[in-house]
Amino acid sequence: MKNLLLVLLLTSTVLFGQNSAQTCQILNKINALVQTEHIRPKPINDSLSIFVFDNLINELDPSRNLFFKSEYDEMAKKYRLNLDNLILSNDCSFLDDITSKYKTGLLRTKAVLEKIQAGKIDYTIKDTIRFYKKAFPFYLKKEDLEKVWLKKLRYQILDEIAETSDNLDSIKANFASIEAASRRMILSNEICRISTLLETKIKQEENLYNYFCTYFDPHTAYFSDDSKTSFVASLSKEHLSLGMSVNLNEKNEIIIAEIDPNGPAYQTGLIKKGDQIISISNQKETLKVSCSSLESISTMILSESNKSITLTLKRNSGKSFDVYIEKQVMKDEDNSVYSFIIGKDSKIGYIKIPSFYADLDENNRKGCADDVAREILKLERDNIKGLVIDLIDNGGGSMEEAIKLAGMFIDYGPISIVIDNKKEKSVINDPYKGLIYKGPIVVLVNSNTASASEFFASIMQDYNRALLMGSTTLGKATMQTILSLDEEKNTDFLKITINKFYRVTGKSHQYVGVTPDVVLPEFYEDVYQKESDFPTAIKNDSIEPFLKYKPYTKRALINQLAKNSSSRLADNYYFNDIKKINQKIDNIVNTPKAELPMTLDAVFKQKKLVNSLWKEINTFNDENNPLDVYNSTVNQFLLGVYPNDKTANQYQIDNLKTNPYLNEAVNVINEFNGSK
């Protein structure tokens, strides 16, 4: 027996040693590429060590209820200023040590939760709870573990109870039964979540690699073979899909929202809209929905490596049943360009570009720029008098597609300056001579307009080719490429920032975003994360302008149209009300909170305040006269050929009819046309 134990110990030590060496090998390969290829490489020093350690520990214990303060202090003393030295000396055993302490924390937490589950919770004890927006110090002592978890659970249960009714008196009258059901559900889910973390292979390597990468900038990242495949697929308008969409209901259950009649989920004949997903399996592991993170669930559903999925479903509280689905390559409607016409008389074209997707696998599936060109040709057959290009919530994608698209709208000339890590400048020129469309253009942008889409918008603005309308964009003016860490194995990759873009004016929108000509408020604008919110984001700078280019029209005309639009909207109730609601959101999300009493009355009052705000946002709409939105002649014909597209098409039309941003864009184009 002793010999067997010795063999097991030796085997474990060898395995830890192998894992440590492999982890360090990948980190040092990442560093080698960063130092030679990154636009702004940094030395491996104590600053990196602090950044990686703090982020790794925050990832494992964001609520500070897993690690004891003594454990954190011990790890911080050993590693917080030393990870850089350990990595460079090929000793990554620190990750095994941290993971081991994490597992110990999970096990003792599970034991405490099971003890609480077997007992009762006293709601009469006077206590308060405080919420922190940012990370706070580790404070947990061994003797306080149960007390801390009792407090957390007590609040969660009261919060769940407050959701059960809008009538506080009714809740109080039925408190015992409601509390029992809520306590049972919340404790079961917490225990299940801990069990899932313990049963799943606890691999922190990818977290370590990514925090190492994001020390250099927010967009440099490690990719495994699976994550690289999924990332590339996300830039395409066609990818492996189950052919269905899901959402959360009011009970936080995952429900099947829509089923594509052309997709594999529909073809099983077993799945219906409204079915609840209980668990998901990829034949290697099974995730129970009630106690898994939404991130892990969505990763399993969307991962291109999971070519088949088994869903365990429940219908109308009946018995659960399993459905096996093999994914198929399908068109992603949420990642495809589409167009409409606004107004019977004015006839303004509208094109939505959800992302700058591309055919990265070169399967001859056309990219975003070609699709936009096709929609413009359709719209021109109906003699449109202007064009609105909608880049709202367009997170970017292929820079090549953005360059091609910009070239279609300007006649000729330079469109951007690129600087690499050797400070060498190169000019990107318009790849096409001439214009695909010569009429007036308004481009809609917002806080989520990022990367390739704000690059395109900035070119349209600098050439006076379009009036930009909306809110300031995200602020990413860097380009990444994917490189293999080992070209022989091709299993580990680095998405690395290699270039920085400057506008033809010599300015850059990196860190600060593109400011529209007409600035309009949007919901959550103080909550959205911008480039400047990332601690390692590359700062803004500019270069001496040296390019000659010919603007499409005079800046004075754009400025006058912008001034008139701003005057027109100064007293607009819709946008002024958005500002008022944003102030309420800011007070809830960003303003430091006072301590909240741990009573049903206080929690109910807080819940009611938050729910009323979300209700105000969700029911808020534009009461202006609805826009006349309809399909081009060509698209009307295509809908007759492909009738399955009619539902999605009508949904898009209904959303646009009361879109106030589009309404004002149409006003601007009509004013321009009327002034000629």
Side-chain angles (χ1 to χ4, degrees):
M1 186 66 185
K2 283 181 181 177
N3 288 339
L4 178 60
L5 184 60
L6 183 63
V7 169
L8 285 171
L9 285 170
L10 286 171
T11 305
S12 300
T13 305
V14 170
L15 284 173
F16 277 150
Q18 287 173 345
N19 289 340
S20 169
Q22 187 179 2
T23 301
C24 270
Q25 187 181 40
I26 289 175
L27 286 171
N28 281 299
K29 283 180 179 179
I30 291 171
N31 184 42
L33 266 180
V34 165
Q35 298 305 325
T36 57
E37 304 294 337
H38 195 275
I39 184 73
R40 296 277 194 280
K42 302 177 194 173
I44 306 301
N45 56 20
D46 287 355
S47 294
L48 174 135
S49 187
I50 291 167
F51 179 85
V52 173
F53 178 83
D54 286 353
N55 278 283
L56 194 58
I57 297 297
N58 284 337
E59 173 81 18
L60 297 175
D61 191 7
S63 300
R64 308 296 190 247
N65 52 21
L66 201 66
F67 291 126
F68 292 148
K69 184 180 185 302
S70 57
E71 291 172 327
Y72 169 77
D73 289 343
E74 180 193 340
M75 289 188 291
K77 186 178 179 182
K78 284 167 70 176
Y79 304 128
R80 194 165 184 262
L81 292 171
N82 200 31
L83 292 187
D84 54 323
N85 302 315
L86 291 168
I87 290 166
L88 291 174
S89 62
N90 284 311
D91 180 7
C92 288
S93 56
F94 63 85
L95 191 61
D96 292 324
D97 184 22
I98 292 170
T99 303
S100 176
K101 285 183 171 61
Y102 175 58
K103 189 171 182 179
T104 298
L106 290 173
L107 284 166
R108 68 174 169 238
T109 298
K110 185 181 178 185
V112 165
L113 290 171
E114 286 170 343
K115 181 182 176 184
I116 294 171
Q117 188 181 40
K120 291 187 176 181
I121 295 175
D122 186 352
Y123 297 92
T124 62
I125 299 171
K126 285 190 175 181
D127 204 350
T128 59
I129 192 166
R130 182 185 286 276
F131 299 93
Y132 295 88
K133 189 169 184 283
K134 294 184 178 178
F136 54 100
F138 285 81
Y139 66 93
L140 187 61
K141 295 178 182 177
K142 184 178 181 180
E143 59 269 24
D144 293 334
L145 181 61
E146 186 175 342
K147 187 173 103 177
V148 165
W149 271 99
L150 267 170
K151 186 171 184 171
K152 175 183 164 82
L153 291 164
R154 179 178 162 183
Y155 173 77
Q156 285 181 310
I157 293 164
L158 287 173
D159 190 59
E160 177 66 26
I161 290 169
E163 279 282 11
T164 59
S165 173
D166 291 330
N167 187 321
L168 182 58
D169 291 334
S170 172
I171 292 174
K172 286 180 176 179
N174 299 285
F175 184 82
S177 60
I178 298 171
E179 188 276 341
S182 298
R183 179 162 48 89
R184 187 164 53 248
M185 181 194 76
I186 284 168
L187 272 155
S188 295
N189 285 349
E190 284 285 1
I191 292 168
C192 182
R193 184 179 64 83
I194 299 288
S195 297
T196 301
L197 289 170
L198 285 164
E199 289 163 12
T200 307
K201 268 191 168 182
I202 301 173
K203 290 186 72 175
Q204 297 303 328
E205 285 86 355
E206 284 204 29
N207 281 335
L208 174 63
Y209 302 152
N210 274 312
Y211 290 131
F212 186 92
C213 290
T214 52
Y215 171 71
F216 299 99
D217 81 285
H219 309 290
T220 293
Y222 164 82
F223 281 163
S224 64
D225 196 26
D226 280 355
S227 53
K228 181 211 168 202
T229 303
S230 296
F231 175 77
V232 171
S234 73
L235 299 178
S236 170
K237 68 173 179 178
E238 291 184 343
H239 51 78
L240 283 173
S241 172
L242 296 174
M244 65 181 205
S245 63
V246 300
N247 61 24
L248 287 174
N249 67 8
E250 66 281 356
K251 297 178 183 175
N252 280 331
E253 297 166 339
I254 296 183
I255 302 297
I256 293 173
E258 298 292 341
I259 305 172
D260 190 324
N262 301 311
Y266 180 85
Q267 289 162 10
T268 64
L270 301 170
I271 302 174
K272 291 185 178 180
K273 186 176 173 179
D275 286 350
Q276 180 189 351
I277 301 177
I278 306 298
S279 67
I280 305 163
S281 172
N282 63 357
Q283 281 66 61
K284 293 176 187 173
E285 63 172 322
T286 299
L287 293 179
K288 189 176 176 184
V289 168
S290 63
C291 55
S292 299
S293 69
L294 283 174
E295 185 183 6
S296 61
I297 292 163
S298 63
T299 298
M300 183 174 283
I301 290 175
L302 298 174
S303 174
E304 292 273 314
S305 62
N306 294 329
K307 292 184 170 58
S308 61
I309 292 283
T310 298
L311 298 176
T312 301
L313 304 170
K314 185 186 278 188
R315 185 173 301 149
N316 300 328
S317 302
K319 286 186 177 180
S320 59
F321 57 98
D322 292 343
V323 181
Y324 174 80
I325 315 174
E326 289 188 359
K327 291 180 181 178
Q328 295 175 9
V329 174
M330 296 186 68
K331 181 181 177 183
D332 185 351
E333 296 297 342
D334 293 330
N335 211 18
S336 300
V337 165
Y338 58 85
S339 71
F340 293 103
I341 297 174
I342 317 296
K344 296 293 183 186
D345 298 322
S346 59
K347 283 195 174 180
I348 307 299
Y350 168 88
I351 294 181
K352 175 68 176 178
I353 308 177
S355 75
F356 281 86
Y357 52 82
D359 179 19
L360 298 182
D361 293 327
E362 297 181 351
N363 293 324
N364 296 317
R365 296 194 290 269
K366 298 294 184 183
C368 160
D370 286 326
D371 285 352
V372 170
R374 195 174 294 111
E375 295 305 314
I376 288 173
L377 293 175
K378 292 177 188 175
L379 294 170
E380 290 244 78
R381 290 188 64 170
D382 286 306
N383 300 311
I384 58 168
K385 303 293 188 290
L387 181 64
V388 179
I389 298 175
D390 189 347
L391 299 179
I392 288 175
D393 294 332
N394 181 322
S398 166
M399 287 300 299
E400 185 180 346
E401 292 296 318
I403 291 165
K404 285 167 65 178
L405 190 63
M408 292 178 186
F409 289 104
I410 63 168
D411 194 2
Y412 63 89
I415 58 176
S416 183
I417 305 155
V418 181
I419 293 185
D420 63 18
N421 63 349
K422 297 178 180 65
K423 313 289 186 202
E424 291 181 0
K425 298 172 186 171
S426 56
V427 177
I428 299 175
N429 287 299
D430 178 359
Y432 306 114
K433 179 75 174 171
L435 296 87
I436 193 170
Y437 176 72
K438 296 181 180 179
I441 301 173
V442 171
V443 175
L444 300 177
V445 295
N446 74 337
S447 299
N448 287 330
T449 302
S451 193
S453 58
E454 51 188 332
F455 170 84
F456 169 79
S458 70
I459 296 164
M460 299 290 276
Q461 188 178 53
D462 289 339
Y463 267 85
N464 299 339
R465 184 63 189 94
L467 179 144
L468 266 57
M469 180 181 291
S471 46
T472 303
T473 63
L474 182 124
K476 178 179 179 287
T478 58
M479 187 176 83
Q480 291 70 41
T481 191
I482 299 175
L483 301 173
S484 175
L485 293 178
D486 188 332
E487 290 185 1
E488 289 183 12
K489 292 181 181 176
N490 251 12
T491 54
D492 302 279
F493 302 87
L494 184 66
K495 178 166 72 78
I496 181 170
T497 301
I498 56 167
N499 291 323
K500 187 175 176 185
F501 291 97
Y502 292 82
R503 298 166 71 151
V504 289
T505 59
K507 294 180 180 178
S508 170
H509 59 264
Q510 170 61 27
Y511 201 80
V512 296
V514 177
T515 304
D517 304 299
V518 177
V519 177
L520 297 175
E522 63 173 324
F523 280 129
Y524 314 115
E525 64 186 8
D526 296 324
V527 177
Y528 282 135
Q529 191 169 40
K530 297 286 196 80
E531 183 81 0
S532 56
D533 293 320
F534 292 103
T536 59
I538 294 169
K539 299 297 188 286
N540 182 261
D541 64 354
S542 59
I543 58 175
E544 283 294 319
F546 63 90
L547 295 176
K548 291 183 179 180
Y549 62 100
K550 184 181 178 183
Y552 186 76
T553 190
K554 291 180 180 178
R555 174 40 56 177
L557 174 60
I558 302 283
N559 290 343
Q560 188 58 52
L561 289 168
K563 184 181 177 182
N564 293 347
S565 175
S566 297
S567 298
R568 201 161 40 238
L569 298 175
D571 297 321
N572 182 282
Y573 82 93
Y574 182 91
F575 293 112
N576 287 335
D577 281 358
I578 286 181
K579 291 175 186 175
K580 292 173 188 173
I581 293 173
N582 277 339
Q583 184 60 54
K584 294 179 184 178
I585 295 171
D586 185 59
N587 289 338
I588 288 177
V589 177
N590 293 324
T591 307
K593 305 291 185 300
E595 287 184 319
L596 181 75
M598 293 272 279
T599 64
L600 178 60
D601 291 68
V603 174
F604 183 85
K605 184 180 177 183
Q606 182 203 47
K607 177 69 74 175
K608 199 166 184 181
L609 176 71
V610 174
N611 284 349
S612 68
L613 177 57
W614 299 143
K615 187 177 180 181
E616 191 175 358
I617 293 167
N618 292 330
T619 57
F620 191 73
N621 56 42
D622 185 12
E623 294 174 3
N624 291 332
N625 293 328
L627 292 165
D628 185 8
V629 183
Y630 57 97
N631 290 289
S632 64
T633 305
V634 175
N635 281 344
Q636 285 176 27
F637 169 77
L638 291 173
L639 281 173
V641 178
Y642 304 104
N644 288 336
D645 294 341
K646 284 184 177 179
T647 302
N649 181 267
Q650 189 59 50
Y651 176 78
Q652 291 162 350
I653 287 175
D654 291 342
N655 279 342
L656 288 176
K657 280 181 177 179
T658 56
N659 184 317
Y661 304 91
L662 177 57
N663 190 63
E664 182 55 23
V666 168
N667 289 339
V668 168
I669 293 173
N670 285 337
E671 182 189 345
F672 173 81
N673 287 332
S675 66
K676 287 194 295 185

